[in-house]
């Protein structure tokens, strides 16, 4: 395992520090006010459990129904406009010179007292009329589904599983079969209302007990959150979970749509660019025998059908409007029924023939692969390589990383602790010839040309991406906590120091913080670049020997405390990014001229996130990653472990990822040397 990082997924919440960090990007849905009502209809409400339930179909049977807390979750607050202005200007300070800052400050104050005040009041009124959701949910869905850039590299991240600790379980067919079975068990557990609610326990000795759960389940859903809060337990929003399965992002001109059809009983499998489907649920909704699933996958792995000349998967890597036009042509050519099979499949399993050489090769494969053996529009795809390395690539528009990480953790636990299939099991005869269907498409000349052009663009794009990895073994979380420093704050400071050392600049930095503690919360941004990190980075990088160890440690403490404050505020919905975004979105929907605040070059600069960062550690996760969000940026995945720190970083040609990693390592060496009282140069 290299990183134990995970990516865009879960960002530290105020009371969920070191757990809740959620992806660097989220995506969106059409602004239908009924969207979350639809979601509620698809997720189970509280129910009485039958004693004769076949528990082999489920991961577990929670005492507390899955959605028990959803109705009483607190609403995401809209920050005060004066607080947003103050935080925005504080974040701009290290990025601007005095003249630029004075101009930005005036524009911001004018906004606060003028059109911004009017928009803010209207946003508050709108929020009061839509108490079933959050003020950011609809605009956030709209923004990302309206994006026309390809989902590949721009939005889809990956997370890779750790290997099964039992080496014999990592054989490709066996691991793929167990992953499918555990994924289906997770889905059935979720839909039955048996999945343990997502709760962060500050005092698990009180709240994470059978006695408390038996008590809280009898509290009405409209009050249950308050009961949990009383014992320092914080339930999290689970409204996105239903989009995990039977879901696909469907390209449409101008704005995509999210499609979900829970009637689908089949799995989509891809190998060599060929697409197959077979049922993993029977007519009663029960999972078919694991041995049958294994037999069907064995049949697919042994299929000698060559790779198609025009693999359709490349189309999902296209510009969304281009893909929408080609999809319309696919429908006109009589491919509606097979596209429906793809869209409604429970999820996609990608069986790769290639063996991974190292962590960098794994990152490239899980993030984009060869484009031939992927359907990037599915809510998620499980990828299993030739030697059993496994990972998840997920489409980001339907939600944030909360649901994906929970799924990944549960599936890893189930496959490693309670696998349904073992190496010693004898193959079971199954009629895979009739059960497994290889999907074929009718492709005319223009469609073939479209696929070829998509392939060429895909290959040109991914060829520009460089990924590098680094491990720092000189210390980790335990040493930092022992010095009363936030591990995340120190990692972020190291990135600032590294960029300053390499490029001599202080730049906009993005760290996404989950607001899943609120109903239909999404994310808020932590802005790690501050006047404090700027001062500290300069002291370490540009002024070595000019400050005492005591002074440097004091600067580290200030950076740590300020970063922790920013993280707490963001987790409580008290950042500035989402508020300003919502005000801009409101002005746009009303047809108003764009307020001058948003025309200020400084606003564009702070949103040109050269350092896009994301972190997560989990026993199930080996590494994860994503591409930079701007052409001249870095995509920084990192994990701070007890005794070490790992980074998985991507860049395009405008930046040198390998030198940047060297600079991060040097920055961490200098910080830990200072903490240990050793000189550095």
């Amino acid at each position: 395992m290299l990183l134990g990082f995970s990516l865009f997924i879960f960002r530290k919440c105020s009371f969920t520090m070191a757990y809740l960090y959620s992806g660097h990007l989220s995506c969106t849905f059409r602004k239908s006010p009924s969207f979350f009502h639809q979601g509620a209809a698809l997720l189970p409400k509280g129910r009485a459990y039958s004693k004769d339930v076949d528990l082999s179909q489920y991961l577990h049977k929670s005492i507390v129904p899955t959605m028990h807390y959803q109705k009483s979750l607190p609403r995401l607050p809209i920050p005060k406009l004066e607080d947003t202005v103050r935080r925005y200007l504080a974040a701009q300070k290290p990025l601007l010179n005095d003249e630029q800052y004075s101009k930005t400050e005036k524009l911001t104050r004018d906004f606060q007292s003028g059109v911004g005040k009017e928009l803010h009041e209207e946003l508050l009124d709108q929020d009061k009329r839509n108490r079933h959701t959050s003020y950011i949910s609809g605009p956030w869905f709209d923004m990302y589904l309206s994006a026309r850039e390809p989902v590949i590299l721009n939005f889809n991240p990956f997370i890779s599983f750790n290997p099964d600790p039992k080496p014999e379980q990592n054989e490709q067919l066996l691991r793929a079969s167990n992953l499918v079975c555990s994924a289906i068990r997770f889905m059935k557990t979720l839909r039955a209302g048996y999945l343990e609610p997502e709760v962060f326990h500050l005092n698990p000795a009180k709240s994470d007990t059978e006695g408390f759960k038996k008590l809280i389940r009898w509290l009405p859903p409209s009050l249950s959150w308050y009961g949990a809060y009383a014992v320092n337990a914080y339930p999290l929003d689970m409204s996105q979970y239903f989009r995990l399965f039977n879901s696909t992002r469907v390209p449409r001109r101008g704005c995509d749509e999210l499609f979900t059809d829970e009637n689908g009983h089949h799995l989509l499998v891809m190998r060599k660019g060929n697409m197959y489907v077979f049922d993993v649920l029977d007519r009663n909704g029960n999972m078919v025998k694991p041995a049958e699933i294994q037999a069907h996958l064995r049949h697919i792995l042994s299929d000698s059908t060559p790779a198609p000349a025009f693999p359709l998967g490349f189309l999902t890597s296209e510009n969304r409007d281009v893909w929408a036009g080609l999809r319309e042509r696919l429908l006109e050519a009589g491919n509606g029924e097979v596209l429906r099979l793809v869209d409604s499949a429970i999820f996609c399993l990608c069986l790769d023939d290639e063996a991974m050489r190292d962590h960098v090769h794994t990152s490239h494969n899980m993030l984009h692969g060869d484009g031939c053996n992927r359907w990037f529009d599915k809510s998620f795809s499980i990828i299993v390589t030739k030697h059993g390395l496994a990972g998840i690539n997920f489409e980001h528009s339907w939600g944030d990383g909360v649901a994906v990480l929970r799924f990944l953790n549960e599936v890893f636990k189930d496959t490693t602790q309670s696998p349904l299939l073992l190496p010693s099991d004898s193959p079971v005869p199954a009629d895979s010839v009739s059960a497994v269907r290889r999907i074929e498409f009718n492709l005319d000349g223009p469609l073939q040309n479209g696929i070829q052009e998509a392939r060429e663009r895909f290959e040109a794009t991914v060829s520009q991406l460089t990924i590098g990895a680094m491990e720092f073994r000189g210390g980790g979380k335990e040493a930092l906590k022992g010095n009363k420093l936030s591990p995340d704050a120190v990692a972020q400071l190291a990135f600032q120091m590294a960029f300053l050392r390499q490029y001599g600049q202080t730049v906009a930095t993005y760290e996404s913080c989950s607001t899943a503690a609120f109903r239909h919360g999404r994310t808020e941004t932590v802005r790690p670049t501050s006047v404090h990190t700027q001062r500290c980075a300069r002291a370490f990088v540009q002024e070595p020997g000019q400050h005492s160890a005591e002074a440097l440690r004091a600067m580290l403490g200030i950076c740590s405390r300020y970063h922790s404050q920013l993280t707490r505020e963001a987790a409580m919905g008290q950042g500035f990014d989402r508020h300003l975004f919502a005000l801009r979105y409101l002005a746009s929907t009303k047809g108003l001229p764009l307020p001058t605040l948003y025309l200020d070059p400084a606003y564009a600069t702070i949103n040109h996130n050269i350092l896009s960062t994301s972190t997560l550690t989990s026993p199930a996760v080996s590494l994860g990653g994503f591409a930079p969000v701007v052409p001249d940026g870095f995509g920084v995945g990192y994990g701070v472990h007890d005794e070490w720190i790992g980074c998985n970083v991507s860049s395009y040609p405008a930046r040198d990822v390998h030198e940047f990693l060297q600079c991060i390592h040097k920055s961490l060496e200098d910080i830990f040397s200072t903490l240990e009282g050793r000189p550095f140069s």
Side-chain angles (χ1 to χ4, degrees):
M1 169 174 133
L2 173 67
L3 300 177
F5 141 87
S6 157
L7 80 244
F8 298 23
I9 301 185
F10 287 159
R11 282 286 153 205
K12 279 64 171 174
C13 214
S14 59
F15 40 75
T16 58
M17 292 285 287
Y19 174 57
L20 266 188
Y21 270 51
S22 176
H24 76 300
L25 285 175
S26 302
C27 274
T28 28
F29 187 74
R30 286 190 187 276
K31 53 177 177 257
S32 166
S34 63
F35 167 69
F36 281 109
H37 293 154
Q38 297 166 14
L42 289 168
L43 283 169
K45 298 181 180 179
R47 64 177 67 197
Y49 301 131
S50 169
K51 293 184 178 179
D52 58 358
V53 167
D54 178 9
L55 291 181
S56 68
Q57 296 279 320
Y58 306 96
L59 297 178
H60 54 246
K61 182 176 151 183
S62 173
I63 296 171
V64 182
T66 304
M67 302 302 288
H68 188 57
Y69 299 107
Q70 190 68 27
K71 188 175 181 180
S72 56
L73 285 174
R75 300 194 65 229
L76 181 67
I78 298 176
K80 295 179 180 178
L81 184 58
E82 56 266 32
D83 289 340
T84 288
V85 165
R86 172 177 53 80
R87 292 172 178 134
Y88 174 68
L89 290 174
Q92 287 283 17
K93 190 74 173 175
L95 304 177
L96 305 175
N97 61 35
D98 291 344
E99 181 181 352
Q100 292 168 332
Y101 181 80
S102 295
K103 177 185 176 184
T104 293
E105 183 178 30
K106 182 180 185 308
L107 289 173
T108 306
R109 297 298 181 191
D110 290 345
F111 176 81
Q112 178 183 359
S113 60
V115 65
K117 181 178 180 181
E118 297 171 6
L119 290 169
H120 177 71
E121 290 173 354
E122 185 157 350
L123 183 65
L124 290 173
D125 289 340
Q126 189 180 86
D127 188 52
K128 289 177 183 177
R129 296 193 301 269
N130 292 277
R131 302 189 64 82
H132 65 285
T133 187
S134 68
Y135 79 93
I136 198 63
S137 181
W140 210 236
F141 272 110
D142 274 348
M143 180 185 71
Y144 280 101
L145 281 182
S146 297
R148 300 294 83 194
E149 297 87 357
V151 296
I152 182 66
L153 300 190
N154 293 300
F155 299 114
N156 287 30
F158 84 90
I159 315 169
S160 67
F161 290 94
N162 268 319
D164 192 300
K166 298 179 287 296
E168 65 274 13
Q169 291 289 134
N170 290 308
E171 186 271 331
Q172 184 183 30
L173 173 61
L174 183 61
R175 192 163 202 208
S177 302
N178 275 317
L179 286 168
V180 169
C181 292
S182 293
I184 299 304
R185 277 156 54 89
F186 179 97
M187 180 190 73
K188 286 180 60 63
T189 307
L190 170 67
R191 290 179 177 173
Y194 297 163
L195 188 69
E196 284 275 355
E198 190 74 14
V199 179
F200 183 77
H201 300 274
L202 270 183
N203 189 356
K206 280 189 175 182
S207 59
D208 197 13
T209 65
E210 184 174 342
F212 177 76
K213 291 174 183 177
K214 286 181 177 179
L215 177 66
I216 199 72
R217 69 164 292 179
W218 293 111
L219 203 61
S222 59
L223 299 173
S224 57
W225 182 89
Y226 301 96
Y229 176 77
V231 292
N232 260 350
Y234 297 89
L236 305 180
D237 181 78
M238 297 182 72
S239 63
Q240 298 169 5
Y241 278 55
F242 82 99
R243 290 286 185 190
L244 269 169
F245 302 102
N246 299 101
S247 295
T248 299
R249 176 172 175 165
V250 177
R252 295 281 187 257
R253 296 180 191 271
C255 185
D256 292 353
E257 295 179 358
L258 290 174
F259 170 87
T260 299
D261 179 6
E262 291 196 355
N263 293 316
H265 285 190
H266 57 284
L267 177 71
L268 172 66
V269 183
M270 299 187 72
R271 179 170 177 262
K272 295 182 179 178
N274 292 304
M275 305 172 74
Y276 308 80
V277 293
F278 64 85
D279 284 349
V280 289
L281 300 177
D282 64 22
R283 66 181 62 185
N284 297 315
N286 294 314
M287 184 173 70
V288 304
K289 293 178 181 179
E292 290 184 27
I293 292 174
Q294 186 179 35
H296 297 336
L297 293 179
R298 182 183 294 110
H299 172 78
I300 292 171
L301 283 168
S302 63
D303 185 10
S304 60
T305 302
F310 300 97
L312 225 69
F314 282 113
L315 294 182
T316 64
S317 71
E318 259 289 12
N319 170 280
R320 302 308 292 180
D321 280 336
V322 173
W323 174 203
L326 290 167
R327 181 184 170 95
E328 291 170 3
R329 192 168 187 95
L330 279 166
L331 292 171
E332 293 168 359
N335 295 293
E337 186 262 341
V338 288
L339 281 173
R340 176 82 184 201
L341 282 174
V342 173
D343 294 341
S344 62
I346 294 173
F347 64 91
C348 180
L349 172 69
C350 304
L351 298 173
D352 287 357
D353 287 349
E354 194 173 6
M356 298 296 98
R357 298 185 299 273
D358 52 32
H359 294 296
V360 170
H361 188 196
T362 299
S363 294
H364 278 290
N365 189 64
M366 298 298 178
L367 184 59
H368 55 76
D370 62 4
C372 168
N373 208 44
R374 302 287 184 271
W375 196 264
F376 294 112
D377 287 351
K378 287 301 289 182
S379 54
F380 72 91
S381 297
I382 293 179
I383 302 162
V384 185
T385 66
K386 183 178 181 179
H387 292 156
L389 284 175
I392 290 177
N393 181 292
F394 65 97
E395 196 281 310
H396 221 326
S397 70
W398 57 271
D400 306 310
V402 175
V404 177
L405 183 68
R406 175 69 184 278
F407 169 75
L408 186 144
N409 285 336
E410 295 281 4
V411 166
F412 182 78
K413 178 181 177 182
D414 193 50
T415 56
T416 55
Q417 296 182 10
S418 307
L420 297 183
L421 294 160
L422 299 171
S424 57
D425 294 341
S426 300
V428 173
D431 186 11
S432 296
V433 174
S434 61
V436 178
R437 174 184 173 186
R438 183 164 57 85
I439 297 176
E440 297 187 65
F441 294 85
N442 298 319
L443 303 177
D444 58 18
L447 284 169
Q448 292 178 356
N449 291 337
I451 293 170
Q452 183 59 31
E453 290 172 2
R455 181 177 205 150
E456 292 169 0
R457 272 190 283 271
F458 170 87
E459 292 173 350
T461 299
V462 301
S463 70
Q464 298 293 302
L465 186 73
T466 300
I467 298 177
M470 178 277 294
E471 291 181 5
F472 174 77
R473 292 286 177 175
K477 187 186 303 181
E478 293 302 316
L480 294 173
K481 286 185 174 180
N483 282 277
K484 298 181 179 180
L485 295 175
S486 158
D488 190 64
V490 170
Q492 289 289 342
L493 175 62
F495 305 149
Q496 299 294 315
M497 290 168 59
F499 198 90
L500 182 65
R501 184 181 300 277
Q502 186 175 6
Y503 295 105
Q505 293 177 287
T506 298
V507 294
T509 307
Y510 182 104
E511 184 179 9
S512 178
C513 178
S514 173
T515 52
F518 301 96
R519 189 188 315 158
H520 299 168
R522 296 299 305 251
T523 61
E524 182 53 87
T525 306
V526 177
R527 290 291 183 173
T529 306
S530 69
V531 292
H532 308 295
T533 59
Q534 185 179 51
R535 185 179 304 119
C536 190
R538 286 174 175 171
F540 273 95
V541 175
Q542 297 177 333
E543 303 161 359
Q546 297 182 30
H547 303 271
S548 67
E550 183 179 353
L552 290 173
R553 285 195 292 269
M555 290 185 205
L556 290 172
I558 292 171
C559 290
S560 176
R561 289 188 293 274
Y562 188 69
H563 184 80
S564 297
Q565 175 190 329
L566 292 179
T567 303
R568 285 193 299 271
E569 290 175 350
M572 299 309 294
Q574 295 298 311
F576 67 82
D577 281 85
R578 299 301 177 267
H579 188 194
L580 288 179
F581 169 81
L583 296 176
R584 177 176 179 167
Y585 179 86
L586 182 58
S588 175
T589 58
K590 291 174 63 66
L592 298 176
L594 192 62
T596 53
L597 168 70
Y598 301 106
L599 299 173
D600 182 9
Y603 183 81
T605 298
I606 201 171
N607 286 289
H608 186 84
N609 293 297
I610 290 176
L611 293 177
S612 181
T613 69
S614 184
T615 184
L616 181 88
T617 55
S618 162
V621 174
S622 171
L623 70 161
F626 51 93
V629 298
V630 293
D632 58 341
F634 288 111
V636 183
Y638 65 102
V640 183
H641 302 269
D642 288 345
E643 306 296 337
W644 61 285
I645 298 170
C647 293
N648 197 30
V649 183
S650 64
S651 75
Y652 294 115
R655 300 291 180 188
D656 185 336
V657 71
H658 301 296
E659 183 182 350
F660 183 61
L661 286 167
Q662 292 172 3
C663 290
I664 293 174
H665 198 281
K666 167 63 175 168
S667 299
L668 291 170
E669 286 178 353
D670 291 352
I671 291 170
F672 278 87
S673 293
T674 298
L675 295 177
E676 294 164 6
R678 293 183 285 109
F680 66 89
S681 57

